Amino acid sequence: MKSNHLKILLCLLWLFMIVLPLLRMLSTMAGLNLFEVMTARKFSRAFWQSLNVSSVATFISVSVAGVLSWAVARTNVKHKQLISTLIIVPMLIPSISHGMGLIIIFGANGVVSKIFGLTGGIYGFWGIVFGSVMYSFPVAYLMLYDILRYEDGTPYEAAEVIGLGAIDRFFAITLPYLRKPLISVIFATFTMIITDYGVPLMIGGKYITLPVMMYQDVIGMLDFGKGSAIGVVLLIPAAVACVLDMVSRDSNRLSFVGKPHAIKDNHARDLVAKVIIFAVIVAIFVPIVAFSVIAFIKKYPVNMAMSFAHAARAFEIGALKYLANSLIIAVAVSLLGTALALFNAYMTARAKTKLSYFLHLMSIVSLAVPGIVLGLSYVMFFKGSMIYGGLVILLVVNITHFFASPYLMAYNTFSKLNENLESVGLIMGISRLSVVRDVILPQSKQTIVKMMSYFFINSMMTISAVSFLSNTFNKPLSLMIPQFEGQMQIECAAFVSLVILGANVMMKILEDFSLKLTR
Amino acid sequence: MINKLAIENVSKSFGNVAVLHDVSFVVRGGEFLSVLGPSGCGKTTLLRILIGLETPDSGKIFKDDADITTLPASMRKMGMVFQNYALFENMTALRNVEYALLKSSALKNSYNRATAREKAEEMLEIVGLEKFFDSKPSQLSGGQQQRVAIARTLALNPDIILFDEPMSALDVDMRLSLRAEIKELAKKFRTTMIYITHDQEEAFAMSDRIAIMNAGKIHQIDTPHNIIESPADEFVENFVIKNINIKINSLIHFQRKS
């Protein structure tokens, strides 16, 4: 009975943290002539442009990730751990910074543009495509790498005994196995790209996408109704991705038996893999190096002398205060979010009642809500409330925005622990709290570390959900990037990106260290 | 012998599914009683009701003539050994036992760190794990893990120990040796034991009496000898006797061949 009360409490919490805000957003569309909004020329152009650019970017992103994950998972290249670590570096900076990296290299005054005499064609369609690929392929890579790594090797051995060739093997075994997870990877990547506004804002130029239009409607014209209509459209791919993900997650579990893939010796193949990996890592680090350099140079390309002027300028207008904001938010989200996710997962995974499934669904709804949509719904729902305008609302929105992944990590870990532990406690008269504290949590240390790191890193770099909720008082550091971009101070924006990267790299190192410590 | 446990007219349903129909029987003090039945016959539910993890929809349970139907599990002075060991994976074998002694509300802090450690060492020695005090469960074999679980259960000095198919995850050799050991412990501690299994051979080799269960009902409860001599009905005959004969025959056949 008591556990049901706690579950009802948690459901109520989610009601206020996600369901009601979304409903509030939907309700602003009531007085709106939806048909008119959707058929307006500006909207339909943004819609098709979003679709085009996201499709192309998704195709490239998943292709690169696929080839790369093959190169790492199915060959005998060395230092696989290090390679994977380097590949996820782009996941440690805001998407908007990737757009910036491209501008520095290929923009009107870009390094490469100057050398080759290009006229800055990077703005617009291709800029968005490449910027989006930059930050999305590591996510696709992580998913595909896991899929390839855990693929059962036995069918391949059987195929070899029968004498099937490489092409037949690919179509008979690999493709059928990959189909379902691949669809969910494609949708997850597509969702990430189509709902992002950092890259198109920075590099899109006149090529307006839906999130950018939504941002302009809300921030520029305070047109909440139109913003909400766009928000609803953006909910669709995310909702589809969420459902697909749940479906393939369940069916995948069955295939996770069997033995790992045996990798044969093949030097030619390994050489190809090495070249691919090297090329990708260079492509990842060139833009990062580019904005690292530009942040500390007087005025590119006129004056190449080293200078801290941009850093100083950033601090002058409050970088330190905003960094403090960011750190406070990130640490608080990391601690509170992890605690809430653990509590929530305990209720759904280990104190199972009929309510558990409902609570489980409530806990992963955020998976289907893009950050900007969540942010907009928070503006409308919490405006005028006590927490509006302070750090607390940013904390709440971030916990909600990033909740699903860490929650699922905890849920999976708790589900795998012996199901009778609490029964043993009941029989022996060991309180549930003791069992949780002394048995369950100690066995979940690694997961807890990963959850905390996930919340921290994402809170440090997010610019989506927080953008509508921030003011000069509570603004996090990441939002200085679009601000500087608007003021054409790309060097300062580069400096801020570097600071965020630094904080997140530190967090990653701390995470690795803690994981080793708790092993 | 006096009746240690009396089960009177116990019924239990989950939703529309009736799992136990009007089950009544007694368990005698110090006896080794097996509850034998095919999977899904309700034996695990019966066990969970006996120990207090579930409450029956109707009927009563008496222990030493006291009604314990709604008594919390921890106050019944009963222990339970699970199929999947249910050890605390983050603790060593010794710590598993020690922790139970220190934290059990039933013992009311009668142990301090030193005495708990001593008792835990003694219990592990009894189950033959004197060399494995500092091993984590993941470093132990299935049989060794189940021994730790038994030591942990025995340490709290229960009147009755319930076993829920404790050997179904073990291989054949391990089963035979653990079987003998459990019998020995039963004798040594004079603890009443209720042993759930679907393995006919196991039940007949270990038990003083066997309760044959199917579809939520007890068909017969008697000594192994009497069950074989005079099975109560067709189900008992089919489920028990034919199965045992098949096993014995195949064993003989196998031995002749090899």
Side-chain angles (χ1 to χ4, degrees):
Chain A
M1 279 302 112
K2 218 177 132 204
S3 98
N4 267 346
H5 292 163
L6 293 171
K7 277 172 207 156
I8 290 170
L9 213 66
L10 284 171
C11 285
L12 280 176
L13 186 71
W14 291 121
L15 195 70
F16 278 95
M17 277 169 63
I18 195 157
V19 178
L20 290 177
L22 281 179
L23 289 177
R24 174 71 185 81
M25 186 186 85
L26 294 178
S27 77
T28 48
M29 294 167 26
L32 208 68
N33 189 339
L34 258 190
F35 184 76
E36 212 170 275
V37 174
M38 301 273 180
T39 51
R41 237 182 53 130
K42 209 178 149 209
F43 178 90
S44 73
R45 200 175 68 191
F47 177 82
W48 288 111
Q49 288 185 341
S50 272
L51 212 58
N52 282 341
V53 81
S54 304
S55 307
V56 174
T58 302
F59 176 76
I60 297 176
S61 184
V62 174
S63 306
V64 171
V67 172
L68 190 63
S69 55
W70 168 82
V72 181
R74 289 292 163 79
T75 64
N76 286 320
V77 293
K78 285 182 194 124
H79 311 302
K80 292 188 177 183
Q81 188 62 46
L82 177 70
I83 292 169
S84 282
T85 308
L86 290 176
I87 289 171
I88 62 158
V89 166
M91 289 167 71
L92 303 180
I93 46 174
S95 58
I96 194 167
S97 307
H98 292 289
M100 195 171 63
L102 288 176
I103 289 180
I104 294 165
I105 299 172
F106 298 106
N109 280 318
V111 184
V112 174
S113 318
K114 286 273 173 190
I115 296 171
F116 294 98
L118 303 172
T119 48
I122 191 71
Y123 300 98
F125 183 84
W126 287 108
I128 303 176
V129 166
F130 287 118
S132 302
V133 169
M134 287 298 291
Y135 78 85
S136 65
F137 90 84
V139 183
Y141 164 80
L142 282 184
M143 294 191 267
L144 288 169
Y145 180 61
D146 260 2
I147 292 164
L148 285 184
R149 206 162 42 144
Y150 291 121
E151 188 188 5
D152 186 5
T154 33
Y156 290 90
E157 285 173 4
E160 204 171 314
V161 175
I162 301 167
L164 283 184
I167 293 167
D168 285 333
R169 268 185 300 201
F170 180 77
F171 283 104
I173 308 170
T174 315
L175 209 56
Y177 167 75
L178 275 180
R179 204 183 58 219
K180 253 189 182 166
L182 193 62
I183 290 173
S184 87
V185 171
I186 289 172
F187 254 89
T189 311
F190 180 81
T191 306
M192 230 177 111
I193 294 173
I194 201 168
T195 59
D196 170 68
Y197 84 95
V199 169
L201 190 69
M202 178 64 93
I203 204 170
K206 284 179 186 142
Y207 201 87
I208 304 287
T209 60
L210 283 178
V212 173
M213 187 178 160
M214 178 175 168
Y215 183 76
Q216 289 171 345
D217 278 341
V218 174
I219 298 271
M221 296 178 262
L222 295 174
D223 189 340
F224 288 96
K226 224 196 237 166
S228 306
I230 299 170
V232 172
V233 175
L234 290 178
L235 273 175
I236 297 167
V240 174
C242 184
V243 170
L244 276 176
D245 193 50
M246 278 196 288
V247 171
S248 75
R249 210 184 282 268
D250 284 344
S251 59
N252 258 354
R253 208 161 278 161
L254 293 172
S255 55
F256 271 55
V257 285
K259 58 189 242 197
H261 227 270
I263 302 166
K264 286 199 212 122
D265 282 338
N266 183 338
H267 290 294
R269 179 203 60 199
D270 289 357
L271 189 67
V272 172
K274 274 178 204 162
V275 171
I276 291 169
I277 293 166
F278 183 75
V280 171
I281 290 179
V282 167
I284 288 173
F285 279 92
V286 162
I288 293 176
V289 170
F291 66 68
S292 311
V293 169
I294 212 161
F296 296 106
I297 276 180
K298 207 155 228 166
K299 181 71 196 160
Y300 175 85
V302 191
N303 187 344
M304 300 292 277
M306 199 170 150
S307 152
F308 290 100
H310 309 303
R313 163 111 185 97
F315 283 119
E316 223 165 81
I317 62 166
L320 207 58
K321 175 177 150 52
Y322 300 140
L323 174 63
N325 279 349
S326 271
L327 289 174
I328 292 169
I329 295 169
V331 170
V333 168
S334 170
L335 296 175
L336 295 174
T338 304
L340 182 63
L342 287 170
F343 180 51
N344 209 107
Y346 186 85
M347 286 297 154
T348 51
R350 296 201 71 87
K352 276 209 166 114
T353 57
K354 277 176 195 152
L355 257 180
S356 295
Y357 189 68
F358 184 67
L359 180 59
H360 181 67
L361 284 181
M362 293 280 270
S363 318
I364 55 173
V365 167
S366 62
L367 215 52
V369 185
I372 33 170
V373 179
L374 188 69
L376 181 61
S377 65
Y378 263 52
V379 173
M380 291 187 253
F381 185 72
F382 287 105
K383 201 163 205 167
S385 76
M386 235 169 58
I387 59 169
Y388 194 78
L391 282 176
V392 176
I393 191 144
L394 297 187
L395 220 145
V396 175
V397 83
N398 279 343
I399 289 178
T400 308
H401 184 189
F402 303 120
F403 191 78
S405 292
Y407 162 76
L408 285 171
M409 292 181 210
Y411 180 83
N412 288 334
T413 302
F414 285 165
S415 301
K416 278 181 202 144
L417 296 180
N418 193 304
E419 80 267 19
N420 291 321
L421 293 174
E422 283 87 353
S423 296
V424 169
L426 273 178
I427 293 166
M428 296 191 156
I430 304 169
S431 72
R432 197 181 261 268
L433 216 60
S434 296
V435 174
V436 170
R437 189 191 54 215
D438 300 332
V439 182
I440 296 193
L441 290 183
Q443 289 187 59
S444 313
K445 272 187 211 151
Q446 299 246 326
T447 308
I448 295 172
V449 168
K450 286 181 195 158
M451 290 163 73
M452 293 177 77
S453 159
Y454 182 92
F455 271 122
F456 180 93
I457 287 172
N458 281 290
S459 303
M460 271 314 280
M461 66 182 195
T462 185
I463 60 169
S464 59
V466 293
S467 62
F468 301 136
L469 295 162
S470 298
N471 51 38
T472 46
F473 166 70
N474 68 0
K475 188 161 68 179
L477 185 66
S478 52
L479 284 180
M480 288 187 93
I481 302 173
Q483 182 194 340
F484 279 128
E485 192 270 342
Q487 300 162 354
M488 307 294 277
Q489 301 205 31
I490 205 164
E491 296 86 354
C492 293
F495 173 74
V496 170
S497 303
L498 266 184
V499 174
I500 293 172
L501 178 64
N504 282 344
V505 166
M506 231 111 87
M507 185 69 221
K508 267 282 164 200
I509 291 169
L510 194 67
E511 178 192 336
D512 275 2
F513 180 72
S514 313
L515 287 179
K516 274 188 194 121
L517 213 67
T518 53
R519 195 161 287 151
Chain B
M1 270 191 276
I2 54 148
N3 289 342
K4 189 71 193 165
L5 208 57
I7 293 90
E8 289 183 2
N9 312 104
V10 164
S11 295
K12 177 79 181 174
S13 310
F14 292 111
N16 293 326
V17 188
V19 185
L20 296 175
H21 306 271
D22 198 23
V23 171
S24 300
F25 64 98
V26 296
V27 184
R28 297 168 187 156
E31 82 168 326
F32 194 114
L33 174 81
S34 288
V35 179
L36 173 66
S39 46
C41 74
K43 53 192 194 298
T44 295
T45 305
L46 177 65
L47 203 69
R48 290 175 67 85
I49 287 176
L50 293 186
I51 197 141
L53 293 174
E54 307 268 0
T55 42
D57 298 338
S58 61
K60 283 194 182 321
I61 298 158
F62 296 90
K63 178 167 173 260
D64 301 318
D65 294 329
D67 186 348
I68 58 161
T69 316
T70 55
L71 196 70
S74 59
M75 293 168 71
R76 296 187 179 198
K77 275 194 78 64
M78 291 161 82
M80 182 153 165
V81 175
F82 291 88
Q83 183 177 347
N84 55 15
Y85 325 131
L87 293 177
F88 308 139
E89 298 280 336
N90 55 319
M91 301 178 190
T92 62
L94 190 67
R95 184 76 189 137
N96 260 279
V97 184
E98 204 180 27
Y99 182 78
L101 287 166
L102 288 171
K103 288 282 177 174
S104 169
S105 62
L107 297 176
K108 297 194 179 72
N109 302 324
S110 50
Y111 285 92
N112 60 34
R113 278 197 162 270
T115 52
R117 184 171 196 91
E118 210 171 294
K119 174 84 176 173
E121 284 175 357
E122 183 197 328
M123 296 320 296
L124 285 180
E125 276 161 20
I126 286 173
V127 296
L129 291 178
E130 58 280 350
K131 286 186 189 142
F132 298 97
F133 287 172
D134 296 325
S135 305
K136 291 267 181 83
S138 58
Q139 298 163 319
L140 297 173
S141 73
Q144 290 168 331
Q145 290 186 57
Q146 198 56 292
R147 283 184 172 83
V148 176
I150 291 171
R152 188 178 65 180
T153 306
L154 276 172
L156 299 189
N157 200 23
D159 299 341
I160 304 173
I161 299 181
L162 310 179
F163 292 86
D164 186 10
E165 310 218 16
M167 302 193 200
S168 52
L170 304 180
D171 57 38
V172 181
D173 288 349
M174 192 61 82
R175 277 186 208 191
L176 290 177
S177 67
L178 194 57
R179 213 191 252 183
E181 241 168 279
I182 290 177
K183 279 296 284 181
E184 220 163 279
L185 290 171
K187 245 183 248 164
K188 184 168 177 179
F189 285 85
R190 302 224 179 118
T191 315
T192 307
M193 295 194 169
I194 303 175
Y195 191 99
I196 295 258
T197 181
H198 63 264
D199 184 327
Q200 294 87 353
E201 200 192 315
E202 210 167 86
F204 276 79
M206 296 177 82
S207 316
D208 297 322
R209 290 195 307 151
I210 302 173
I212 312 261
M213 209 174 157
N214 187 40
K217 283 185 183 140
I218 300 228
H219 283 242
Q220 186 174 11
I221 177 163
D222 213 330
T223 61
H225 179 265
N226 289 351
I227 289 174
I228 291 178
E229 287 292 301
S230 51
D233 56 25
E234 213 174 322
F235 172 77
V236 176
E237 191 163 8
N238 281 327
F239 180 67
V240 178
I241 298 171
K242 280 191 183 155
N243 261 307
I244 286 194
N245 283 338
I246 289 167
K247 275 196 184 168
I248 291 172
N249 286 338
S250 66
L251 197 67
I252 293 167
H253 182 68
F254 179 74
Q255 279 173 343
R256 271 194 200 132
K257 262 179 123 181
S258 56

